[in-house]
Amino acid sequence: PLCICLVICGTVSVSTFAKDRKILNDYAGEEKQVEVTVTEINYSEPYGSSVIAKTESEDKNFKLILLLPDSEAKIGDRISLKANFRETAVSTYGYNEKESYLDRGIFLVAEAEEYEIISRDNFILTAVFEKANAFLAKIVEDTVDSDTASLVSAMLLGNKDALDSSVRRDFSRLGISHVLALSGLHLSIITGLIGGILSLAQTPNRPKYVLLILIIGAFVCVTGFSESAIRAGLMLAIFYTMMLIGQRSDATTSLFASVMIICII
């Protein structure tokens, strides 16, 4: 499994790099007419919004950051627009845009002055997960002070854009930006705490493992399906599934099995 996984990873990495480099060369610094579908809202306000969108081109499918002049676009909207494209970069405030989005496969920013919404609401489930994320973020915001709330929201719900630019800059300068990226660290702490509480409550093993697997799935969905969260979720789900059926499992096997599944997908 390790050798197969390494071969698949190497092949996927090389082909993905070549494809992404060609897309970057074709779009960066250009003005192009494209059709995209909104998959995530970064921020939305009366004077503009930032969303994550994926292109509808048959030959070139990729995600991008889309800057819009208003806040009319919603998750699931299909949009036609002419936009100026640029590569992600470090802003004048020290925010490393490239570092924040590259792990999600996003390396282009498109700024549109005008756009047309062709259709709406293609992703009903995504909208539900987005509302759940916003609901939990509101609970965090009402529970603790604003600075702590933005940090907790970033580390537990994946809302890194809620962080002040100076906080993101400080994490980057200290070399610990990875702490803000949802990964096995965060998911292991959450499942460990919940598992401990269930054990104290003397919950039988089978119901406990089933509940933990469901919680892992809900966490990955609500936090936006980031690659790091999916990898960690698959690892823990495999681990608990093996325990559920009474088989031995270990972290190394879970890691490479989850990476292989992600590569195949």
Side-chain angles (χ1 to χ4, degrees):
L2 172 59
C3 293
I4 294 173
C5 185
L6 290 176
V7 170
I8 294 176
C9 287
T11 305
V12 170
S13 297
V14 172
S15 61
T16 301
F17 177 81
K19 183 196 72 171
D20 291 350
R21 175 54 58 183
K22 188 176 188 309
I23 292 172
L24 187 60
N25 291 337
D26 290 346
Y27 282 82
E30 301 289 337
E31 183 182 51
K32 290 184 178 288
Q33 180 78 31
V34 294
E35 288 187 7
V36 301
T37 300
V38 178
T39 60
E40 181 182 339
I41 304 294
N42 276 338
Y43 67 79
S44 182
E45 57 187 34
Y47 305 106
S49 63
S50 170
V51 304
I52 304 298
K54 68 174 184 177
T55 61
E56 296 293 333
S57 171
E58 293 183 1
D59 57 336
K60 292 179 181 177
N61 293 313
F62 58 92
K63 288 183 179 181
L64 54 86
I65 304 167
L66 180 59
L67 305 179
L68 300 172
D70 54 44
S71 58
E72 296 298 320
K74 306 298 180 185
I75 291 177
D77 288 356
R78 187 177 177 188
I79 298 174
S80 175
L81 54 90
K82 180 178 284 187
N84 292 306
F85 288 80
R86 65 170 174 82
E87 187 177 2
T88 51
V90 179
S91 71
T92 54
Y93 301 102
Y95 171 47
N96 195 327
E97 190 178 54
K98 178 177 290 188
E99 184 181 88
S100 298
Y101 287 99
L102 191 59
D103 65 333
R104 300 171 62 183
I106 300 172
F107 47 84
L108 280 172
V109 179
E111 187 170 358
E113 294 184 1
E114 296 181 358
Y115 66 94
E116 177 186 0
I117 298 177
I118 301 173
S119 61
R120 287 188 176 274
D121 301 327
N122 295 321
F123 300 128
I124 298 175
L125 283 178
T126 305
V128 171
F129 298 144
E130 180 77 12
K131 289 180 180 178
N133 184 294
F135 174 74
L136 294 172
K138 185 67 169 60
I139 293 177
V140 172
E141 185 179 336
D142 293 340
T143 304
V144 296
D145 63 86
S146 58
D147 290 338
T148 306
S150 62
L151 191 60
V152 172
S153 184
M155 297 181 69
L156 292 184
L157 299 175
N159 301 326
K160 290 191 287 186
D161 293 297
L163 287 172
D164 187 82
S165 59
S166 62
V167 176
R168 291 195 292 263
R169 182 193 61 221
D170 291 342
F171 270 79
S172 179
R173 287 177 175 175
L174 289 169
I176 54 174
S177 295
H178 61 278
V179 174
L180 299 177
L182 293 175
S183 63
L185 170 67
H186 308 77
L187 198 48
S188 296
I189 292 173
I190 292 171
T191 54
L193 287 171
I194 296 174
I197 293 171
L198 293 174
S199 296
L200 288 175
Q202 297 183 342
T203 306
N205 284 335
R206 287 183 178 275
K208 180 174 73 173
Y209 296 145
V210 170
L211 183 58
L212 287 174
I213 292 171
L214 293 175
I215 290 172
I216 291 167
F219 177 85
V220 173
C221 293
V222 171
T223 54
F225 298 98
S226 69
E227 281 76 5
S228 56
I230 292 174
R231 182 180 63 248
L234 279 171
M235 283 180 61
L236 285 170
I238 291 169
F239 183 81
Y240 286 121
T241 300
M242 291 297 99
M243 297 180 71
L244 178 65
I245 62 178
Q247 298 295 320
R248 181 181 176 184
S249 180
D250 62 272
T252 305
T253 303
S254 299
L255 169 64
F256 283 101
S258 64
V259 172
M260 188 161 61
I261 291 171
I262 291 171
C263 287
I264 291 171
I265 293 171

